[in-house]
Amino acid sequence: MFKIIRNSFKITNSYIVIATPLILFSLFSSIYIILSSGGNALSLTITAILFFLMLGAFLSGWLFMIKKAVTNPEEENKDRLIFEFPAGVGEYFLSILGLIVITVFVSVSLTILIALAGKKIIGNAGISYNQLSNAIASVESMKIFLSSLTPEQLSKLKAWNLLMLFGMIFNYFILMFYAPVLFFKDKNPFKAFFINIKDTFGRKIFKNIFLYILIFIIYTILSILTALFGGNIFIHFILTLINFYYASFTGILIFNYYYSNYAKIGSQVDAKV
């Protein structure tokens, strides 16, 4: 495991160009959403569809670059990896669109199941949507909101928060290897999803859990630091760069881990492993 982590750091540092499409997509997508916000239902629908296609194009090209970096770590001219981006879009665009749709469907379905389970196990906390919306407007409004709740409501609210947190953690965990399966074993997003489930909960489940916990802890620490120092422009800029680096490293780590443990047999890729 630690050998794979060290190797993933090495690949990330060697192929730092992998962060370029991520940075550019984050920039352009943010500008696009800001400029396209507002308008009627038709314009918002068109905006959502175009963003969906943009996301599919980005992920298919970017993840293909990661696959190439993982399978060819000793490539001499590493900066040329950026030219693999269009090839990835051409080869995996439709597969990635399918992956996005299935991911959204699974996430929404799991959220509904968790909500139904919460209503049955925890019960209604007696808090309306408008109350929650007003509470998150500022720190002061949140303090006022919390002080207005009864001990029973506070207890149920904590239980709901824990339930949703564990649901989110479980959701991300079962989808962790979805993209690597698509790129290493099967381009069919439906088949890839079930292979992902089989491999995730297979004989190496404890190693998979350890990998996920490691990624989650580091992500949580970075999120807390970003929230704490968001007001300092210089520190916020540094943390933004670190977050882009970490996102690139995480993609390479997951692909490298999956490639080493589930796909690579000697120097070949076995689609049946």
Side-chain angles (χ1 to χ4, degrees), residues 176-229:
M176 181 168 61
F177 296 137
Y178 193 5
V181 172
L182 194 76
F183 281 82
F184 284 122
K185 289 190 175 181
D186 202 313
K187 293 180 184 178
N188 185 313
F190 296 99
K191 292 181 180 179
F193 176 75
F194 290 106
I195 295 173
N196 157 67
I197 296 296
K198 177 181 72 69
D199 290 343
T200 300
F201 293 96
R203 65 185 185 278
K204 297 182 180 180
I205 184 173
F206 293 109
K207 285 182 65 177
N208 300 341
I209 292 173
F210 176 77
L211 174 71
Y212 181 77
I213 291 174
L214 179 66
I215 293 171
F216 183 77
I217 289 174
I218 298 175
Y219 171 77
T220 302
I221 293 172
L222 285 175
S223 298
I224 293 172
L225 290 174
T226 302
L228 289 175
F229 298 102

Side-chain angles (χ1 to χ4, degrees), residues 16-268:
I16 199 67
V17 69
I18 285 176
T20 302
L22 178 61
I23 294 171
L24 291 176
F25 176 75
S26 299
L27 176 62
F28 290 135
S29 61
S30 299
I31 294 173
Y32 172 74
I33 291 173
I34 292 171
L35 295 178
S36 304
S37 59
N40 54 34
L42 178 60
S43 64
L44 291 176
T45 301
I46 294 173
T47 297
I49 292 173
L50 290 176
F51 180 78
F52 169 65
L53 297 175
M54 286 168 55
L55 179 62
F58 161 69
L59 287 176
S60 55
W62 188 59
L63 295 176
F64 185 69
M65 288 174 62
I66 291 177
K67 174 188 175 182
K68 286 289 185 178
V70 167
T71 54
N72 300 282
E74 304 301 328
E75 179 70 34
E76 290 186 8
N77 195 347
K78 294 179 170 57
D79 289 338
R80 289 193 59 81
L81 183 66
I82 194 71
F83 297 109
E84 297 290 345
F85 188 93
V89 177
E91 187 173 353
Y92 289 95
F93 180 65
L94 293 178
S95 298
I96 286 294
L97 291 183
L99 176 145
I100 295 171
V101 171
I102 292 172
T103 297
V104 171
F105 175 78
V106 170
S107 299
V108 170
S109 299
L110 189 60
T111 301
I112 292 172
L113 289 174
I114 290 170
L116 292 174
K119 284 184 178 180
K120 194 168 186 65
I121 298 170
I122 302 171
N124 196 325
I127 302 170
S128 67
Y129 175 77
N130 287 333
Q131 284 178 296
L132 285 175
S133 298
N134 294 331
I136 62 176
S138 66
V139 176
E140 288 301 320
S141 58
M142 179 60 74
K143 289 180 180 178
I144 296 171
F145 167 70
L146 292 176
S147 63
S148 68
L149 300 178
T150 64
E152 183 183 2
Q153 285 180 310
L154 282 171
S155 177
K156 287 186 176 182
L157 184 61
K158 290 177 182 177
W160 269 105
N161 286 335
L162 283 174
L163 179 64
M164 297 306 292
L165 174 63
F166 284 115
M168 178 193 70
I169 291 173
F170 179 73
N171 181 45
Y172 291 154
F173 177 68
I174 65 174
L175 296 169
M176 181 168 61
F177 296 137
Y178 193 5
V181 172
L182 194 76
F183 281 82
F184 284 122
K185 289 190 175 181
D186 202 313
K187 293 180 184 178
N188 185 313
F190 296 99
K191 292 181 180 179
F193 176 75
F194 290 106
I195 295 173
N196 157 67
I197 296 296
K198 177 181 72 69
D199 290 343
T200 300
F201 293 96
R203 65 185 185 278
K204 297 182 180 180
I205 184 173
F206 293 109
K207 285 182 65 177
N208 300 341
I209 292 173
F210 176 77
L211 174 71
Y212 181 77
I213 291 174
L214 179 66
I215 293 171
F216 183 77
I217 289 174
I218 298 175
Y219 171 77
T220 302
I221 293 172
L222 285 175
S223 298
I224 293 172
L225 290 174
T226 302
L228 289 175
F229 298 102
N232 187 303
I233 297 176
F234 177 74
I235 297 178
H236 181 73
F237 175 73
I238 297 299
L239 286 171
T240 300
L241 294 180
I242 293 173
N243 275 291
F244 279 125
Y245 177 87
Y246 181 66
S248 302
F249 166 73
T250 301
I252 289 172
L253 175 61
I254 293 173
F255 268 66
N256 194 23
Y257 175 89
Y258 189 83
Y259 179 61
S260 301
N261 287 279
Y262 292 98
K264 186 178 180 182
I265 302 297
S267 61
Q268 304 297 321

